[in-house]
């Protein structure tokens, strides 16, 4: 067929026929292909039916059965006229007939289930109407029949019915055991009989399942029944917890043997489930007894049971899947640590038991060199990691106390060294430090171990072999964890040793310096993860020691001075990175430490002012030294990435000075004026001119307002107009020389100096003359702004005019509101909202036009 198509195609390429004749040729070839495909599909359906139905037809598998001539003609005609084969032509595969055996199995399965239900109903309902012999005969006959039927059914291929009757036989065997107890040995202990019956049933089901190996239910049932004998026996004997643990672990050993040596999937899965339940329960009981042991001798037997459980887990891990083997190795490692560590820890004080378990967890790592297989070795590594994590978690409570405790110093500023040393300073005098004394040792031990692994990473990988397969980021995580734990251990060490307040502050300051040195050195080497972790630890430690130092005046100067030098030194050391790819990280860290140095300088300035006897508001001008210095440094570092953050942090210190001066208005006016001077000086630099210029103007105007208010001036216009007139003249001259200058730059400050104080005075003036004159002046300014298209005049004049009008109308509005019914206000609000909502788009367009119009003004 392919040769014919190829020849036809070649002939058509050599002698190209007309389109109509070529279409006829193509339809003919497609019809032949459809016919051949229909014949092959029919043959395939026949072969499937021969293979599925036993009988004489299987002896002649090559007897073809083709469709009748009418079907062939239809297929040929369909192909000739070009109808696709998928449009209902005979080439489509026919629907397979219903399998006789499947239908028969379904019917027999339903029949078996109905028979089981009938037998159970007969047993439950008619049991009391029969004698002992009749009962026994019925149960025996039904059980024997149910046990015998699956064998015949399996020979006939009725596996589903055999499974159903096998399940019925299993239920009847349990009923037989119950009936035997009630009839033959009713006075025997129920738990003991249940133990024996479960053992017998397990053996019978195992034998039955091995005899009829095509049944899937008896062997898993045997495994389930085998979980009960030893446990029920221990319960019946009223044994203690250790005997229960022995029974559970022995059952787990049997499950492990079945899971390792048996080949059936269902049996192995059932055995694995039983192993997890019984083995886990046995290990948990032994662990509880080991932890509660009164001495090393009492912990020996629980330790032996834990070691037995570890051996069972390792035995099962040798032939288990990878994930299961890793879990088994982890359980074995944890059990071994609990066994050995429990005996050793029973002879040491309570707080140091964690250190004993930690050492045992480290010794477990030696097992990775044993021939246990890679998954089990990985499980041992996970077990050691889990022991270390639990030890660190146990030691985290005193660290949290030491970190949070210094906040209490905010309530006793410069009250002197607290009583009780460092423990009193952090409010932890009532804690059981005798039990927490091991916390810094645990943290430092884990930190040293992780740090050693980080420094000798390649050697550790070679020593561990295939048991360790770390991901790329694991080394960084190990190094970062070493830094955190080392810092935490050294942080909690002074309270654990109960040193004095001064010594603790000194040690904490040295620790902050050390961590910052580590961060800077790591950043310069390119180990970003470790460096950032060390930086965070240093920042948290700096905050803690800074809060701690607030309890004593000398400590405040010493600590904040040291922090200032540390942060400034770190910022200098991080300058000019050698690798451009690390520049963003270095610049970010450099910015943070620079801002921290400025904050420390601000605290020192405030502390100096308070030390010389100044009140907090009187010390505000002293704090302005810091923004002055930062402004000078910003001018020197022009173009550097840290210049802007440096100046902004200095500005924040200036804002803190303003807040400190709020108690005294005259000092507030002075501080605002000094801030305006600093802003004006900063505005001399081209890159800061626009923002600093506006800020300087606002600060000067605000200082004048505060000064007038502080002086009790009732007619501020007498003081502000002499300033406003020359300011407006200067603005006019500026606009003539530079028409592109903004109206806010030219006229904003001059107008605000008079309009705002006059508005404030008008709101407190009960007479009509001042509001009238202010309203007229504001109206004139507004009209001039609209006429000359000056934004400052329009906005300032319109705002003052509206507020002045509101002041005049306020009494009448209050009077009208008081006279109106209470429902009028909500109704008016609802109408307003409906009107705005209905014309929302138009109002939005109007607002945009107004914004654009204001934006076009100068």
């Amino acid at each position: 067929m392919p040769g014919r198509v190829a020849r036809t195609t070649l002939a058509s390429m050599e002698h190209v026929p007309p389109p109509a004749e070529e279409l006829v040729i193509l339809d003919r070839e497609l019809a032949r292909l459809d016919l051949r495909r229909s014949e092959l599909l029919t043959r395939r359906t026949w072969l499937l039916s021969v293979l599925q139905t036993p009988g004489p037809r299987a002896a002649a598998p090559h007897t073809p059965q083709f469709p009748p001539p009418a079907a062939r003609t239809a297929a040929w005609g369909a192909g000739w006229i070009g109808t696709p084969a998928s449009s209902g032509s005979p080439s489509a595969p026919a629907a397979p007939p219903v399998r006789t055996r499947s239908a028969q199995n379904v019917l027999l399965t339903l029949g078996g289930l109905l028979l089981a239900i009938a037998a159970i109903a007969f047993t439950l309902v008619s049991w009391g109407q029969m004698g002992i012999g009749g009962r026994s005969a019925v149960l025996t006959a039904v059980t024997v029949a149910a046990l015998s039927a699956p064998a015949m059914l399996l020979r006939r291929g009725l596996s589903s019915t055999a499974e159903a009757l096998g399940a019925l036989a299993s239920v009847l065997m349990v009923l037989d055991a119950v009936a035997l107890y009630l009839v033959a040995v009713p006075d025997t202990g129920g738990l003991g009989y249940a133990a024996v019956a479960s053992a017998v049933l397990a053996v019978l089901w195992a034998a039955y399942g091995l005899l009829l190996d095509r049944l899937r239910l008896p062997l898993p049932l045997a495994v389930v029944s085998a979980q009960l004998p030893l446990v029920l026996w221990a319960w019946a004997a009223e044994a203690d917890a250790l005997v229960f643990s022995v029974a559970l672990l022995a059952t787990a050993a049997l499950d492990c043997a079945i899971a390792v040596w048996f080949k059936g999937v269902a049996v192995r899965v059932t055995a694995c489930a039983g192993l997890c339940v019984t083995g886990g329960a046995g290990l948990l009981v032994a662990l509880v007894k080991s932890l509660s042991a009164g001495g090393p001798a009492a912990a020996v037997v629980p330790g032996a049971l834990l070691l037995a459980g570890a051996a069972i887990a390792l035995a099962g891990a040798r032939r288990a899947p990878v994930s299961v083997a890793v879990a088994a190795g982890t359980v074995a490692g944890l059990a071994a640590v609990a066994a050995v560590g429990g005996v050793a820890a029973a002879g040491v004080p309570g707080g140091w038991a964690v250190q004993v378990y930690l050492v045992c967890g480290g010794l477990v790592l030696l097992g990775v060199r044993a021939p246990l297989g890679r998954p089990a070795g990985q499980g041992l590594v996970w077990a050691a990691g889990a022991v270390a994590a639990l030890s660190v978690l146990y030691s985290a409570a005193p660290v949290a106390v030491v970190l949070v405790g210094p906040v209490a110093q905010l309530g006793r500023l410069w009250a002197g060294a607290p009583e009780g040393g460092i423990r009193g300073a952090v409010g932890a005098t009532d804690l059981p430090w005798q039990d927490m004394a091991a916390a810094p040792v645990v943290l430092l031990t884990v930190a040293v171990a992780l740090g050693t692994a980080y420094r000798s990473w390649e050697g550790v990988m070679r020593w561990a072999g295939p048991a360790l397969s770390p991901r790329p980021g694991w080394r960084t995580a190990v190094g970062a964890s070493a830094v955190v734990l080392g810092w935490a251990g050294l942080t909690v060490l002074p309270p654990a040793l109960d040193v004095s307040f001064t010594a603790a502050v000194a040690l904490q300051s040295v620790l902050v310096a050390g961590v910052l040195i580590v961060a800077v050195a790591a950043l310069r080497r390119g180990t970003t993860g470790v460096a950032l972790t060390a930086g965070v630890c240093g920042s948290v430690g700096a905050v803690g020691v800074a809060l701690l130092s607030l309890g004593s005046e000398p400590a405040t100067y010493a600590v904040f001075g040291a922090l200032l030098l540390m942060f400034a030194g770190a910022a200098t050391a991080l300058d000019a990175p050698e690798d451009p790819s690390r520049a963003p990280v270095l610049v970010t860290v450099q910015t943070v430490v620079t801002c921290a140095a400025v904050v420390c300088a601000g605290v020192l300035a405030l502390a100096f002012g308070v030390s010389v006897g100044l009140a907090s508001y009187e010390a505000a001008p002293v704090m302005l030294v810091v923004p002055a210095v930062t402004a000078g440094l910003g001018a020197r570092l022009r173009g550097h990435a840290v210049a802007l953050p440096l100046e902004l942090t200095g500005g924040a210190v200036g804002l803190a000075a303003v807040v400190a001066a709020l108690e005294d208005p005259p000092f507030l006016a002075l501080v605002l004026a000094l801030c305006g001077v600093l802003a004006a000086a900063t505005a001399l630099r081209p890159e800061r001119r626009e923002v600093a210029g506006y800020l300087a103007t606002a600060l000067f105007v605000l200082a004048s307002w505060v000064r007038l208010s502080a002086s009790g001036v009732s007619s501020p216009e007498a003081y502000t107009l002499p300033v406003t007139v020359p300011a407006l003249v200067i603005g006019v001259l500026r606009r003539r020389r530079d028409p592109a200058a903004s109206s806010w730059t030219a006229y904003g400050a001059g107008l605000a100096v008079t309009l705002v104080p006059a508005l404030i005075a008008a709101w407190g003036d009960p007479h009509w003359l001042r509001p009238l004159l202010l309203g007229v002046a504001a109206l004139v300014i507004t009209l001039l702004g609209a006429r000359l298209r000056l934004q400052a005049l329009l906005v300032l004049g319109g705002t003052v005019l509206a507020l002045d009008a509101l002041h005049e109308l306020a009494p009448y509005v209050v009077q009208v509101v008081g006279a109106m019914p209470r429902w009028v206000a909500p109704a008016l609000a609802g109408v307003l909202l409906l009107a705005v909502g209905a014309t929302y788009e138009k109002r939005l367009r109007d607002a945009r036009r107004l914004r654009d119009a204001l934006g076009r003004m100068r």
Side-chain angles (χ1 to χ4, degrees), residues 61-459:
H62 299 291
T63 304
Q65 291 186 1
F66 297 111
R72 298 187 187 182
T73 305
W76 182 275
W80 179 263
I81 62 175
T83 304
S86 60
S87 61
S89 65
S91 62
V98 178
R99 295 174 57 184
T100 306
R101 289 178 57 192
S102 299
Q104 186 180 12
N105 284 338
V106 171
L107 293 176
L108 290 177
T109 301
L110 292 176
L113 292 176
L114 292 176
L115 178 61
I117 294 172
I120 295 174
F122 173 78
T123 303
L124 295 176
V125 175
S126 302
W127 186 257
Q129 302 175 2
M130 302 176 64
I132 296 177
R135 300 174 187 178
S136 303
V138 169
L139 277 179
T140 301
V142 174
T143 303
V144 170
L147 289 173
S148 304
M152 297 181 293
L153 293 173
L154 288 174
R155 283 196 298 269
R156 292 181 173 272
L158 302 175
S159 57
S160 300
T161 307
E163 291 288 351
L165 291 180
L168 172 63
S170 302
V171 174
L172 292 176
M173 291 175 71
V174 176
L175 292 177
D176 287 338
V178 175
L180 181 62
Y181 173 75
L182 295 176
V183 174
V185 287
D187 298 330
T188 306
L191 291 175
Y193 179 82
V196 175
S198 59
V200 173
L201 287 175
V203 173
L204 292 177
W205 278 330
Y208 187 67
L210 292 174
L211 182 63
L212 300 178
D213 55 354
R214 293 175 61 185
L215 291 179
R216 292 174 291 181
L217 187 61
L219 289 177
L221 282 178
V223 175
V224 173
S225 181
Q227 312 300 310
L228 302 177
L230 293 178
V231 178
L232 291 177
W233 168 80
W235 193 359
E238 298 182 354
D240 60 1
L242 290 178
V243 177
F244 263 101
S245 179
V246 171
L248 289 169
L249 291 177
T251 306
L254 176 62
D255 292 331
C256 181
I258 295 174
V260 170
W261 297 108
F262 207 85
K263 297 181 179 179
V265 176
V267 177
R268 295 183 67 181
V269 170
T270 307
C272 286
L275 172 61
C276 294
V277 174
T278 57
L283 288 176
L284 184 60
V285 172
L287 177 62
V288 172
K289 297 298 290 184
S290 177
L291 293 176
S292 60
V300 171
V301 176
L305 294 177
L306 289 170
L307 289 178
I312 294 172
L314 290 177
R318 298 186 67 87
R319 298 185 61 182
V322 175
S323 58
V324 178
V326 172
T330 304
V331 172
L334 293 174
V337 171
V340 180
V343 176
V348 300
W352 293 95
V354 179
Q355 181 70 20
V356 175
Y357 284 108
L358 181 61
V359 173
C360 294
L363 294 177
V364 166
L365 291 175
L366 299 177
V368 300
R369 303 288 294 179
L372 301 176
R374 178 185 177 187
Q378 290 179 341
L380 294 180
V381 174
W382 282 109
V387 172
L390 291 175
S391 302
V392 169
L393 186 62
Y394 173 83
S395 306
V399 177
V401 171
V402 173
L403 292 179
V404 177
V407 178
Q409 299 302 314
L410 292 175
R412 51 183 309 276
L413 297 175
W414 288 5
E419 298 180 0
I422 184 60
R423 294 181 181 178
V426 297
T429 55
D430 297 333
L431 293 180
W433 285 103
Q434 64 276 8
D435 295 333
M436 296 182 178
V441 180
V442 171
L443 294 172
L444 292 176
T445 301
V446 179
V448 170
L450 294 177
T452 304
Y454 175 76
R455 295 296 300 271
S456 307
W457 188 257
E458 290 77 10

Side-chain angles (χ1 to χ4, degrees), residues 542-735:
V543 173
V545 72
L547 291 174
L548 201 62
S549 68
L550 295 177
S552 172
E553 182 177 358
T556 301
Y557 282 106
V559 169
F560 278 94
L563 291 177
L564 174 60
L565 295 178
M566 292 178 200
F567 290 134
T572 305
L574 291 174
D575 204 6
E578 299 176 0
D579 187 0
S581 62
R582 305 201 309 268
V585 178
L586 288 174
V587 169
T588 302
V589 177
Q590 187 182 26
T591 302
V592 172
V593 295
T594 301
C595 297
V598 174
V599 173
C600 292
V603 174
L604 287 174
L606 178 61
F608 174 77
V610 176
S611 296
V612 297
L614 300 177
S616 59
Y617 65 89
E618 294 175 336
V622 181
M623 296 178 63
L624 295 181
V625 175
V626 176
V629 174
T630 56
L633 289 176
R636 183 178 179 83
L637 298 174
R638 183 177 303 176
H640 198 283
V642 300
L644 181 59
L646 176 70
E647 296 180 61
L648 291 178
T649 310
V653 175
L655 180 61
V658 171
V659 173
L662 289 176
E663 301 179 24
D664 189 87
F667 262 91
L668 178 59
L670 174 62
V671 171
L672 290 172
L674 292 176
C675 291
V677 171
L678 293 177
T682 305
L684 297 176
R685 295 159 50 190
E687 70 275 11
R688 302 282 189 262
R689 178 167 300 162
E690 184 175 358
V691 176
Y694 285 117
L695 180 61
T697 302
L699 288 172
F700 281 131
V701 173
L702 186 60
S704 65
W705 296 345
V706 173
R707 181 69 260 183
L708 291 174
S709 175
S711 301
V713 175
S714 58
S715 299
E717 297 85 359
Y719 298 90
T720 58
L721 283 176
V723 178
T724 297
V725 172
L728 293 178
V729 172
I730 294 174
V732 171
L733 297 177
R734 170 71 185 277
R735 290 274 296 174

